[in-house]
Amino acid sequence: MESRLKGSWRPRKGLLRPGALALAGCVMTLGANAGPVRTPVSKTRSAQAAKPAQSVPLKTYGSKSAPITFEVFTDYECPTCRTLYQQTLRPMISEYAAAGKVYVIHRDYPIARPDHKYSGQASRWANAAAEIGQFGKAEAALYDYQTSWEQDGSMEKYIAAALSRSDFERVRKRMSGCQSPGPGGLPGTFVPAPHPCSLDGYIQQDVELANQLPLKATPTFVISYKGRRITTATGYVSWPVLKQFFDNLLRQP
Amino acid sequence: MKSQTSAGRILLIIGRVVLAAIFIYAAYGKMKPQGSMGWSVGSVRVSLSMFAMEVDSYQLLPTWGVNLVAHALPPFELFLGLWLLSGIALRYSSVITTALLAVFFGLLIRAYAMGQQISCGCFGPGEQIGPKRLLIEGGFFALAVAVTIGAFLVHRRRSMPVSAPSAVETR
């Protein structure tokens, strides 16, 4: 399996510089004091333009009253995140989220790195789809065709194929004004997009939550049982092993 | 000469006690209840299945192998720690310890070289593999090698025939 050989993503500062230079001009024009890459969340233009933070997570599967909460932070261009989605999250959603055992919360963590230049834009599409209740289809399309759209950023056609025509039109309407590239994040930072859009507020909120962990790599997941945080882990885990953990957890009072 | 030997023996005792403490603590870290759970068979089972997730993240073993390692390793570490602490048949316990630490060290190097950003699972959840962790594990391995060498030297010295003093011989 190709994906089993690939490691999860970790930040490499050196690779951020070209993108950071472009962002520096944007931030400096606004009079922000922060550096070009490690821009504090509270001082970014996108923070001002963003929607108010949502109180209820938008990208979820299953019932909120499920005893186990599985909160996963991913980047749509990360290969390990794709493997985790296809081999672990998919059966988890169909078996355990559908049965009311697990509440899955997806969090965006788009990475500001040259080889992940479309992940912020992919997150915007996912959030736009989530606003109309079609997140599941959008997420599946983004991961299933990751190797195709990551070449040129053409994720729109895969989202279009996954949704009905009317739904896609509603999603596209929400994406108007959201030009590529999208925003990105690094541990402790939120890098605003050169052209922020209203959907960036969702991404920003997820990145802020990731920074509170703090997140060191993607995918990272947090497992809680009846409101108590049990563990935070990074990397791939297979469904049979995770299911066994859930089963043992569910036997606890 | 006699003081050198006793210093060596003291160092050997310190070394094996430190190794024993490492293994006992490692077993405890993997089996201790998570969150606010109390000690029970069920909570230990949860902890062991969480350790299984860490073993699985190395992406080396099939599910049955992951389960076998996750459920057998912590009790074995506890047993090895107690064996080292007792000092009984130290040559054998130190050889097994060295071999086990060599395997752990090798796995960590492999994971780090592959860029796997995963928890090492050494003393329970949440410890990321990085240069610091590699240095610590390398130190443990070096200590185990030193204890093994010491154990064999002490055994050889003990098994050497004791030559009687010449004064006694003449009488």
Side-chain angles (χ1 to χ4, degrees), chain B residues 63-156:
Chain B
T63 305
W64 67 265
V66 166
N67 281 326
L68 184 71
V69 169
H71 289 82
L73 187 61
F76 182 68
E77 283 180 329
L78 182 64
F79 165 74
L80 200 54
L82 294 172
W83 187 9
L84 283 165
L85 200 62
S86 72
I88 299 166
L90 186 62
R91 284 174 304 152
Y92 300 108
S93 60
S94 60
V95 165
I96 294 169
T97 304
T98 306
L100 197 58
L101 285 170
V103 171
F104 291 165
F105 193 41
L107 290 174
L108 290 184
I109 290 172
R110 176 192 171 271
Y112 186 68
M114 285 173 69
Q116 287 183 317
Q117 286 288 293
I118 55 174
S119 168
C120 87
C122 310
F123 295 96
E127 273 185 282
Q128 293 284 313
I129 295 174
K132 191 180 157 193
R133 177 43 49 196
L134 288 175
L135 212 63
I136 292 169
E137 284 297 316
F140 290 167
F141 176 63
L143 178 64
V145 170
V147 168
T148 306
I149 292 168
F152 274 90
L153 285 177
V154 166
H155 177 77
R156 199 176 66 173

Side-chain angles (χ1 to χ4, degrees), chain B residues 16-64:
Chain B
R16 74 174 166 81
V17 168
V18 170
L19 277 180
I22 291 166
F23 274 87
I24 292 168
Y25 183 68
Y28 166 77
K30 287 167 190 134
M31 293 194 278
K32 72 171 182 198
Q34 300 302 314
S36 53
M37 290 178 198
W39 279 96
S40 67
V41 174
S43 68
V44 171
R45 214 174 268 160
V46 168
S47 299
L48 291 179
S49 57
M50 199 158 88
F51 177 54
M53 282 163 56
E54 285 166 343
V55 175
D56 191 39
S57 66
Y58 282 87
Q59 297 178 42
L60 268 171
L61 298 168
T63 305
W64 67 265

Side-chain angles (χ1 to χ4, degrees), chain A:
Chain A
M1 262 187 302
E2 165 246 8
S3 56
R4 284 179 80 83
L5 297 171
K6 288 189 177 181
S8 47
W9 173 86
R10 58 183 159 155
R12 283 184 216 151
K13 286 177 190 171
L15 291 168
L16 294 164
R17 281 171 194 153
L21 286 171
L23 289 165
C26 176
V27 174
M28 281 166 73
T29 327
L30 293 162
N33 295 326
V37 175
R38 294 188 175 271
T39 309
V41 174
S42 57
K43 292 183 181 178
T44 61
R45 183 173 66 170
S46 91
Q48 290 157 15
K51 284 187 175 182
Q54 79 266 28
S55 54
V56 179
L58 197 66
K59 296 155 284 183
T60 63
Y61 300 94
S63 164
K64 202 183 171 183
S65 60
I68 297 172
T69 303
F70 186 88
E71 192 174 11
V72 60
F73 294 82
T74 64
D75 171 289
Y76 285 110
E77 282 194 80
C78 142
T80 311
C81 300
R82 183 190 67 216
T83 312
L84 184 75
Y85 173 79
Q86 292 178 327
Q87 294 179 18
T88 305
L89 288 179
R90 205 168 246 162
M92 188 203 294
I93 291 161
S94 62
E95 292 173 38
Y96 276 42
K101 292 178 181 174
V102 180
Y103 181 49
V104 183
I105 306 175
H106 171 97
R107 301 283 185 196
D108 294 310
Y109 198 81
I111 296 156
R113 218 172 77 178
D115 58 335
H116 285 232
K117 59 185 173 184
Y118 301 116
S119 46
Q121 190 65 2
S123 298
R124 285 172 168 174
W125 277 103
N127 280 288
E131 278 196 341
I132 64 154
Q134 297 295 328
F135 170 67
K137 287 178 182 172
E139 184 179 38
L142 287 168
Y143 279 126
D144 288 345
Y145 298 99
Q146 183 195 72
T147 49
S148 304
W149 61 258
E150 71 179 354
Q151 308 297 324
D152 54 5
S154 60
M155 71 280 290
E156 184 175 346
K157 63 183 176 193
Y158 300 106
I159 301 277
L163 302 179
S164 69
R165 196 177 175 144
S166 60
D167 281 343
F168 180 66
E169 281 311 313
R170 289 166 69 199
V171 170
R172 198 158 66 173
K173 204 173 168 185
R174 282 165 167 78
M175 284 294 290
S176 62
C178 298
Q179 293 95 336
S180 189
L186 276 179
T189 68
F190 178 76
V191 182
H195 307 285
C197 81
S198 61
L199 296 160
D200 291 355
Y202 298 122
I203 303 166
Q204 183 190 337
Q205 191 189 41
D206 289 351
V207 171
E208 279 176 8
L209 287 169
N211 293 337
Q212 285 168 24
L213 291 175
L215 182 145
K216 290 177 183 165
T218 56
T220 288
F221 49 89
V222 181
I223 300 173
S224 305
Y225 180 63
K226 293 183 178 172
R228 294 172 293 176
R229 184 181 290 190
I230 303 295
T231 190
T232 302
T234 300
Y236 173 77
V237 60
S238 66
W239 174 232
V241 172
L242 187 61
K243 187 163 81 168
Q244 183 180 263
F245 175 65
F246 286 165
D247 290 341
N248 281 323
L249 209 51
L250 289 165
R251 282 189 208 111
Q252 290 300 300

